[in-house]
Amino acid sequence: MPKDHGIGASSKRREDERFLTGVGNYTDDINLRGQAYVHFLRSDVAHGKINKVDTSAAEAMPGVVRIFTGADFDGVGGLPCGWQVTDKHGQPMQEPAHPVLAQGKVRHVGDPIAAVVAETAAKARDAAEAIEYDIDELPAVIDMKKAVQPDAPKVHDDLESNLCYDWGFVEENKPAVDEAFEKAAHVTTLELVNNRLIANPMEPRVAVGDYARATDESTLYTTSQNPHVIRLLMGAFVLGIPEHKLRVVAPDVGGGFGTKIFHYAEEAFCTFAARALARPVKWTASRSEAFMSDAHGRDHVTKIELALDADNNFTALRTDTYANMGAYLSTFAPSVPTWLHGTLMAGNYKTPLIYVNVKAVFTNTVPVDAYRGAGRPEATFQLERVIDKAAIELGVDPIELRRKNFITEFPYETPVAVAYDTGDYHATMDKLEEIADLSGFEARRKESAARGRLRGLGVNTYIEACGIAPSNLVGQLGARAGLYESATVRVNATGSISVMTGSHSHGQGHETAFPQVVADMLGIDESMIDIVHGDTARVPMGMGTYGSRSLAVGGSAMVRATEKVINKAKKIAAHLMEASEADIELKDGQFTVAGTDKSVAWGDVTLAAYVPHNYPLEDIEPGLEETAFYDPSNFTYPSGAYACEVEVDPETGKVTIERFAAADDFGNIINPMIVDGQVHGGIGQGIGQALLEGCAYDENGQLITGSYMDYAMPRADDVPFYQVDHSCQTPCTHNPLGVKGCGEAGAIGSPPAVVNAVVNALRSGGHDLTHIDMPLSPSRVWQAMNA
Amino acid sequence: MPEVTMTVNGKPASGEVEGRTLLVQFLREDLNLTGTHVGCDTSQCGACVVHVDGQAVKACTMLAAEADGAEVTTIEGMAAPDGTLDRVQEAFKEHHGLQCGFCTPGMVMSAAALLRDTPKPTEAEVREYLEGNICRCTGYHNIVKAIMAASGQEVSALAAE
C-alpha cells in the first residue's frame, strides 16, 4: 500500500488551493500605496557608443516623475559576478564592469539606456519613446569563434580580448589523455552545438522597490529563487546598503528554471529609485523584455573525441568547447561551463582519462547563465551523442556499449575531480528496458513503416552532480559564496510549527513536501506544520533554490533543526515524567518512558516549554525553537536511463515523439507525486530543446527570436504522456534523508534520447548520417535527409 | 475617459478606463482580481484566459471597453460561493496539474470551456485545444490527465508512473 502521510506519501499539494482559486500572491500582484512605475529604454542595437541621451523632452511629458540614465549611477557599484574561474595558466578570468544602466556603450540588444519613472506604466512607456538618444552603432561580435580572432571588435574596450577565460581540466592530465588517443584502437569524433535557450518561466520578472524614511530601511519584492543572495549581492556590491537595512521578499514565484537566480539591474534600479524618490517604484517585464533581459542558457559549441581500445572499453575522452558568456558576466555564468560541466564529463562510465577545455567568450548578446541543469545537460548531451556515434561506427549495440563501460563500484573517484557515492546504472537501465518495452520496439517500427513513417529508438544515461554544494570545495573552485542551507523550526506553545527555510519554492511544492519530513520525525499531523520561505526578514540566511538542492541541502538543515527540537523536547518530557532523559522515546506524537506506561503528548511538552511552571529552568531555557545550518560534505549524484521513440515523416522531416520513458535513481523519495511532476516538466523542457527551441541572433546582433511568435515553446500537442519510474533507489550516503534531488534530471537526460532516436530513425531509412544539431525542426531534418 | 460597466463573477463592476486599457488590466488593476495573469505580450501564452459571455477569451486581446455590458467570469469566480472547487480545479489538484501556478488560471478557464463544448474529449482533442495555453513546469502530462479526469474519464491507465 502506498503511504498516506509522512515521508513517501503522495500528499496533495496545499499550495494548490490558492493557485487554483486565483489568490496566489505573485510579485506583480503587489501594489504599494503611492507607487510609481518604471519603463526601461533599451538598446535596439547590439553594440554602440552612446553619444547623447537627452531626456529633457521626455521629462516634460505628463506624469513623469524622473528619468535616470547611466550618469545617475556614477559612484554606484556594478552588478557583481559571484564566481571567479582561474584559467589554465593560473590567471583569473577577465571580469568586465556591468553598470546598472549603460555607461558609454551599449553591448547587447536590450541593454538598458535609461529608466523612466512615472505615475502610470503607460505614461512611463510613452515618455521613454520621447527620449532622444544618439548611438553610433559599432560592429557586433556574435559568433564565438570569430569573437576570439585577434582583429575582432571588442565587447569591452578595457579588456585584452573577448576571451573571458581559457580553462583546462584537468590540465595536468592532458599529456596522458593525448597519449591515450595516440594508442587508441578507435577514435570517434563529433562536433555539435548545444543550442542557446531562453528559460521562459511563465511569470515574467517583476521588481517593486520600497523605502521607509522613518527607519532608513529598503525593501525589494522580486521574482527570485534566492532572496538572501539578492540581498547580499545588491546590498554589499551595488547599492552599499547593510543587510539589516535591506529586506528582500520573493513571494509566490511563477517558475524560475535558473533564470531567477541572478541579480538583475532592474532589481537594483527599483531599490535605488525608491530611495531616491522616497516612494515605491515598480517594474513589470513584458515578455518581449524578458527575451532580451533574462539571462539565456546553454549556447556551447563543442568538439568531443572518444577513444576506445580493441575491446570497446572507453580509454580517454577529450573535449573542446566554446561557451558563450554574452555581453556581461551574469551572477554565476563562469561556473556553468566549467565546474558544472567539466566535472560531469565522466558520466556513468569508467573512462580513466579525461581532458576538458572550455573557452568562455564575450559576445554582443544577452548574458548567458544557468538554465535547468546548467552545464550538466551540455556534458550529458555531448557524451551520450558521441557514444551513440561510436556504436554506429563500431557496429555494436548502443546499450551494450554503455553497459560494458558502466561504473559498477562505489564510491567511485572520477578523473574529473568528483566522487560518486552511490548508484546502480545497470539497475536503472534494466528498469528502462522494462518500462519502455524496448523488446517491442521492432514490432512498433514495422507498424510505423507500414504507415510510411520512419521510427527510431534513442537511449542514453545521465548523471548529475547536484545538492549544490560543499562550501569549502566550491570556495576552492572560485565561488564567492558559501552554499549551505538553513532552517529554523519554531514550535509554538500549542504544538503547531513554523519551519523557516532558506530554500525557495517556485513550483517545487516545498510547502507540502517539507512538512512531510518534519511530521514523520515528530509523529504529528502534517497540517500542524507550515513552511515559511522567501523573506529575508522572516528566514535565517539561506542560499536559495537551484541545482536540485532544496531537499538535499535545505531538507537536511530542516532535519538537523528538528533533531535539536526533539532533543530539547525529550529533556522537558523527562522532567514532566520524572524520568531519565535517556529513557524517553518519541513515537506518534507521544513521549513515553521506555518500559513503562507513562506518557505525555507532544502538546503537553510544547506548552510546558512556553508556560514553564513545572520546568527544569536550571538546566534548559524556556521555548522550543532551533536553527540549523547544513553544509553538505559532497554533491549528490542522481542518475538514470532514458528512452525516446520517434516517428519521422520522410516527406516533411517532421518529428513526432511517440513514447518517452525515464528510469531515475533519486535515492529516497519524500513525495512521489511531486517527483513525477518534476521529471515530467524536465522532459518537457528537454524535448523543447531537442525539437523546438533555439534562440537566434542575426549577424548584426538583432534578436530574431524575441517573442512567442518566433521562439517555439513546447505546447501540449508537441509531447506525449511520459512513462516515469523512480523505484531504483540507491540512497545518498552523506545526507540524513538519503535524498539526491530530482529537479533537473528530466532536462538533463532527455535531449540526447530525442536526437539519438531521430538519427536512428533516419538511418533506418537509409540516410547515412550520424548527427543533426538541435533543434531538430522539420526543415533541419528534411535538409539532413536530402543532403 | 470612458466608463465601462460589466458583470464580473456575478457582481456588477464599473470604472473609468483609458481607451487603450486591456480587459486584463481592468480586471487586475481596477478590480484587483489578480488571479488572471499576464505571461506574454503577443496573445500566445493563455495565462489571461477568462470567460466573456460564456466564451473563452484571452483578456489581453480585448479592450476593457469592448467588454462593456458583458458577463465576465475569472478564475476567482470558478469555485462555488462556499469554496467548493469546480470539477476542473478539483481535478488539477487531485492529479498535480500545476506546479508554479502561474499558467494555471488560464489553463483552468480554457479547460472549463473545452469541457462545456466537448464533454468527453480524447487525449488528442485536449492537447490540440491547449495550443493557446503554455505551461513551462508540467510538461503537460498532468494537465492533460487532469482535464480528462475532470470529464469523468478513467485516467489511471493513460500512462503509468
Side-chain angles (χ1 to χ4, degrees):
Chain A
M1 276 287 289
K3 286 187 70 176
D4 63 359
H5 68 279
I7 291 174
S10 284
S11 299
K12 302 301 178 204
R13 295 201 332 165
R14 54 177 75 181
E15 44 273 82
D16 288 4
E17 198 84 20
R18 68 175 186 273
F19 294 151
L20 281 164
T21 54
V23 295
N25 184 36
Y26 298 88
T27 310
D28 194 43
D29 302 339
I30 294 170
N31 292 297
L32 303 179
R33 188 181 174 85
Q35 78 187 8
Y37 296 81
V38 188
H39 185 86
F40 290 94
L41 173 68
R42 295 180 182 278
S43 177
D44 56 6
V45 299
H47 194 194
K49 179 172 173 296
I50 301 171
N51 293 323
K52 182 189 79 171
V53 181
D54 181 355
T55 61
S56 53
E59 301 259 17
M61 298 274 288
V64 172
V65 176
R66 186 169 157 189
I67 300 177
F68 295 79
T69 67
D72 292 296
F73 285 82
D74 284 342
V76 175
L79 301 173
C81 179
W83 202 297
Q84 182 181 66
V85 166
T86 302
D87 75 6
K88 66 182 186 185
H89 308 297
Q91 296 302 307
M93 67 187 188
Q94 294 204 84
E95 190 170 355
H98 187 181
V100 175
L101 296 176
Q103 294 175 333
K105 271 174 78 169
V106 287
R107 295 184 177 86
H108 66 85
V109 168
D111 211 359
I113 300 166
V116 180
V117 182
E119 297 295 342
T120 70
K123 285 173 177 160
R125 195 166 59 236
D126 290 345
E129 288 177 8
I131 295 173
E132 292 176 21
Y133 62 95
D134 175 27
I135 292 179
D136 278 343
E137 189 167 357
L138 299 169
V141 285
I142 305 303
D143 181 277
M144 285 188 278
K145 290 184 179 174
K146 287 181 186 165
V148 294
Q149 296 300 313
D151 57 347
K154 286 201 290 188
V155 178
H156 296 275
D157 300 330
D158 54 337
L159 299 187
E160 286 176 16
S161 68
N162 293 321
L163 185 65
C164 178
Y165 54 74
D166 183 351
W167 185 75
F169 185 64
V170 174
E171 194 61 27
E172 301 82 68
N173 291 351
K174 190 168 187 303
V177 172
D178 291 345
E179 189 184 336
F181 271 89
E182 283 167 23
K183 290 180 180 166
H186 183 85
V187 174
T188 296
T189 304
L190 180 60
E191 295 190 31
L192 51 81
V193 173
N194 202 292
N195 41 329
R196 186 179 180 114
L197 303 177
I198 301 175
N200 272 307
M202 292 316 299
E203 178 203 32
R205 287 189 298 118
V206 182
V208 187
D210 193 16
Y211 177 64
R213 274 185 290 182
T215 56
D216 190 34
E217 287 176 304
S218 291
T219 301
L220 171 70
Y221 301 89
T222 182
T223 48
S224 176
Q225 300 175 215
N226 30 242
H228 284 95
V229 175
I230 304 305
R231 185 183 67 165
L232 177 67
L233 295 175
M234 184 173 75
F237 297 97
V238 189
L239 301 180
I241 306 172
E243 284 102 322
H244 67 295
K245 294 290 185 189
L246 178 58
R247 175 184 175 203
V248 178
V249 183
D252 288 331
V253 172
F257 314 116
T259 204
K260 290 177 181 166
I261 297 170
F262 321 121
H263 176 40
Y264 286 97
E266 297 87 355
E267 296 172 318
F269 178 81
C270 289
T271 310
F272 177 85
R275 288 174 79 89
L277 302 171
R279 63 187 286 192
V281 172
K282 179 174 186 175
W283 170 72
T284 302
S286 68
R287 181 58 60 183
S288 301
E289 254 184 316
F291 271 94
M292 58 176 137
S293 66
D294 289 4
H296 293 179
R298 315 280 194 262
D299 204 354
H300 287 193
V301 175
T302 293
K303 177 183 176 188
I304 180 168
E305 301 164 283
L306 175 66
L308 302 96
D309 68 16
D311 293 327
N312 296 341
N313 296 305
F314 303 161
T315 56
L317 191 70
R318 188 164 60 191
T319 74
D320 184 8
T321 288
Y322 288 79
N324 207 334
M325 294 286 103
Y328 303 98
L329 289 178
S330 176
T331 309
F332 290 113
S335 69
V336 175
T338 50
W339 301 108
L340 295 175
H341 162 252
T343 51
L344 270 296
M345 283 313 306
N348 309 56
Y349 311 103
K350 52 192 176 197
T351 314
L353 291 162
I354 297 175
Y355 178 73
V356 177
N357 179 258
V358 177
K359 295 176 184 69
V361 182
F362 293 113
T363 61
N364 291 112
T365 63
V366 173
V368 181
D369 205 326
Y371 164 58
R372 199 172 194 169
R376 292 151 288 177
E378 295 90 322
T380 303
F381 183 71
Q382 54 184 291
L383 181 60
E384 294 298 322
R385 286 291 302 124
V386 82
I387 293 172
D388 249 40
K389 187 177 181 190
I392 291 170
E393 290 175 352
L394 296 165
V396 299
D397 180 83
I399 296 177
E400 289 313 310
L401 182 60
R402 286 177 168 85
R403 283 185 182 274
K404 181 179 180 59
N405 286 281
F406 274 164
I407 295 161
T408 54
E409 291 177 11
F410 297 88
Y412 178 81
E413 298 261 355
T414 74
V416 276
V418 288
Y420 303 161
D421 58 344
T422 56
D424 187 343
Y425 308 145
H426 284 294
T428 43
M429 185 63 86
D430 291 345
K431 178 56 72 176
L432 180 78
E433 294 199 22
E434 175 198 327
I435 64 169
D437 183 28
L438 295 192
S439 60
F441 171 71
E442 285 304 329
R444 293 191 292 274
R445 172 173 267 177
K446 286 198 180 79
E447 190 274 327
S448 296
R451 288 184 287 105
R453 296 285 194 271
L454 300 173
R455 195 175 189 103
L457 169 67
V459 172
N460 63 272
T461 67
Y462 78 90
I463 185 158
E464 57 170 320
C466 56
I468 293 173
S471 293
N472 55 3
L473 176 62
V474 296
Q476 289 168 29
L477 304 181
R480 290 163 167 164
L483 287 170
Y484 50 83
E485 199 47 82
S486 66
T488 294
V489 175
R490 176 177 297 161
V491 184
N492 301 308
T494 57
S496 67
I497 296 174
S498 294
V499 179
M500 277 63 86
T501 171
S503 60
H504 186 278
S505 183
H506 29 280
Q508 296 91 337
H510 297 174
E511 290 171 49
T512 302
F514 284 11
Q516 292 180 245
V517 174
V518 177
D520 221 56
M521 293 177 71
L522 299 176
I524 62 174
D525 198 84
E526 289 166 26
S527 65
M528 292 174 69
I529 302 160
D530 261 359
I531 298 299
V532 178
H533 66 92
D535 184 343
T536 60
R538 298 180 69 194
V539 173
M541 176 76 183
M543 296 309 290
T545 288
Y546 39 83
S548 306
R549 71 192 299 274
S550 296
L551 190 60
V553 190
S556 297
M558 201 171 61
V559 169
R560 292 285 184 248
T562 305
E563 286 168 351
K564 290 185 187 178
V565 163
I566 292 171
N567 286 341
K568 184 170 179 183
K570 282 184 173 177
K571 287 188 171 67
I572 301 168
H575 177 86
L576 293 177
M577 293 187 282
E578 298 177 338
S580 165
E581 186 191 330
D583 293 334
I584 303 296
E585 293 173 350
L586 171 61
K587 193 176 176 217
D588 296 333
Q590 292 286 323
F591 295 90
T592 55
V593 180
T596 74
D597 57 359
K598 282 187 184 177
S599 74
V600 286
W602 169 250
D604 297 329
V605 171
T606 62
L607 191 64
Y610 290 94
V611 187
H613 296 164
N614 172 21
Y615 194 86
L617 286 167
E618 62 281 6
D619 296 328
I620 51 175
E621 298 167 5
L624 195 51
E625 170 172 329
E626 299 288 347
T627 295
F629 284 72
Y630 181 84
D631 206 314
S633 60
N634 192 356
F635 293 91
T636 62
Y637 299 95
S639 61
Y642 284 22
C644 177
E645 282 185 35
V646 298
E647 274 190 359
V648 181
D649 182 343
E651 300 296 321
T652 64
K654 177 160 172 58
V655 176
T656 310
I657 310 277
E658 294 296 321
R659 297 166 69 93
F660 201 103
D664 293 293
D665 174 1
F666 297 132
N668 293 333
I669 301 286
I670 305 301
N671 184 317
M673 177 191 81
I674 289 175
V675 171
D676 287 346
Q678 290 293 306
V679 177
H680 295 158
I683 294 171
Q685 291 184 4
I687 290 173
Q689 168 164 29
L691 293 187
L692 298 160
E693 299 176 46
C695 171
Y697 282 93
D698 74 8
E699 67 274 19
N700 299 315
Q702 287 299 324
L703 180 60
I704 305 296
T705 49
S707 78
Y708 289 151
M709 310 276 282
D710 318 294
Y711 187 89
M713 291 282 280
R715 262 70 165 187
D717 56 0
D718 293 314
V719 295
F721 283 122
Y722 321 108
Q723 199 85 24
V724 303
D725 180 281
H726 34 72
S727 61
C728 298
Q729 298 179 356
T730 59
C732 172
T733 59
H734 57 79
N735 65 45
L737 290 167
V739 296
K740 296 183 175 180
C742 66
E744 297 161 295
I748 294 170
S750 54
V754 177
V755 179
N756 288 351
V758 173
V759 169
N760 180 259
L762 297 184
R763 291 184 64 82
S764 78
H767 301 284
D768 185 23
L769 53 82
T770 53
H771 182 69
I772 307 173
D773 273 326
M774 302 184 289
L776 302 182
S777 60
S779 67
R780 281 196 180 174
V781 174
W782 190 89
Q783 282 168 17
M785 283 192 291
N786 292 279
Chain B
M1 291 199 292
E3 173 152 339
V4 295
T5 302
M6 59 190 83
T7 304
V8 180
N9 300 331
K11 295 179 194 152
S14 61
E16 285 189 357
V17 296
E18 281 192 73
R20 61 182 167 180
T21 302
L22 300 170
L23 176 59
V24 68
Q25 292 171 317
F26 181 67
L27 293 171
R28 286 183 57 80
E29 292 163 23
D30 292 68
L31 304 185
N32 201 30
L33 292 171
T34 54
T36 302
H37 294 153
V38 179
C40 77
D41 48 7
T42 51
S43 288
Q44 276 158 325
C45 80
C48 66
V49 171
V50 298
H51 295 174
V52 179
D53 292 333
Q55 299 293 310
V57 167
K58 288 179 175 171
C60 72
T61 59
M62 188 172 189
L63 296 169
E66 291 178 280
D68 192 37
E71 292 262 356
V72 177
T73 305
T74 70
I75 188 70
E76 288 93 341
M78 288 300 280
D82 69 354
T84 305
L85 296 180
D86 163 84
R87 61 177 174 161
V88 177
Q89 292 171 311
E90 189 60 43
F92 268 63
K93 180 171 183 181
E94 180 65 25
H95 296 281
H96 190 26
L98 64 154
Q99 291 181 24
C100 82
F102 198 81
C103 77
T104 307
M107 285 286 178
V108 168
M109 300 310 285
S110 285
L114 166 67
L115 296 186
R116 197 169 47 214
D117 298 340
T118 311
K120 300 273 184 208
T122 63
E123 179 197 340
E125 284 173 327
V126 174
R127 290 184 185 278
E128 188 181 344
Y129 191 86
L130 294 181
E131 178 70 23
N133 289 83
I134 304 176
C135 168
R136 193 55 151 170
C137 291
T138 65
Y140 301 99
H141 184 109
N142 285 339
I143 290 176
V144 177
K145 194 172 163 186
I147 294 171
M148 296 186 73
S151 76
Q153 301 184 71
E154 179 54 50
V155 295
S156 58
L158 286 176
E161 287 153 349

